[in-house]
Amino acid sequence: MQELLVDFEDTRELYKSYMPYLKTGGLFVRTNMQFEMSQPLALRISLPDALEENVITGEVVWITPQGSQNANPPGIGVSFIDDKNQVRDKIEKMLGGMLNSSDPTYTM
């Protein structure tokens, strides 16, 4: 299974990448690499101000190709499948009230 490193330096970038509308949570990962829908992946995630990385397995559920018309960066959306370290809960706690924001994200 392919593994991607995802490093968030601040909560603003985390907000733009988080996909709360997915039932199990998910993240948009900026990448120029090619992936297929439903492709399984492992994400090694470093959250802002975290001392440790968390590993989550998931699958590709969103693809933004290079040169998309909305000027969003190329990348993939990965839906969480195995979240043993409860990263979804950690992300939602970090983002708090930002989750109700109308600011655009990389996917919506």
Side-chain angles (χ1 to χ4, degrees):
M1 180 180 305
Q2 189 168 356
E3 184 174 282
L4 294 176
L5 176 61
V6 186
D7 184 16
F8 296 102
E9 294 184 13
D10 58 44
T11 55
R12 182 83 183 127
E13 186 67 18
L14 180 59
Y15 165 78
K16 291 177 79 172
S17 298
Y18 185 54
M19 302 170 78
Y21 47 84
L22 296 176
K23 184 177 180 180
T24 57
L27 287 170
F28 179 82
V29 180
R30 295 171 70 153
T31 182
N32 290 319
M33 296 170 60
Q34 299 295 315
F35 293 91
E36 300 292 325
M37 292 296 285
S38 300
Q39 181 175 341
L41 294 171
L43 299 180
R44 184 171 298 277
I45 302 167
S46 180
L47 296 173
D49 300 325
L51 300 175
E52 299 177 359
E53 294 178 337
N54 293 285
V55 177
I56 294 178
T57 57
E59 69 178 358
V60 177
V61 296
W62 181 285
I63 298 175
T64 302
Q66 279 189 311
S68 66
Q69 291 182 347
N70 61 5
N72 277 341
I76 56 171
V78 179
S79 178
F80 299 161
I81 293 175
D82 186 11
D83 185 8
K84 294 176 186 169
N85 296 319
Q86 300 166 336
V87 175
R88 178 183 181 196
D89 294 338
K90 292 175 187 178
I91 291 171
E92 290 184 354
K93 185 177 179 181
M94 276 184 165
L95 296 179
M98 290 177 78
L99 290 173
N100 297 323
S101 173
S102 61
D103 291 345
T105 66
Y106 292 131
T107 56
M108 294 288 185

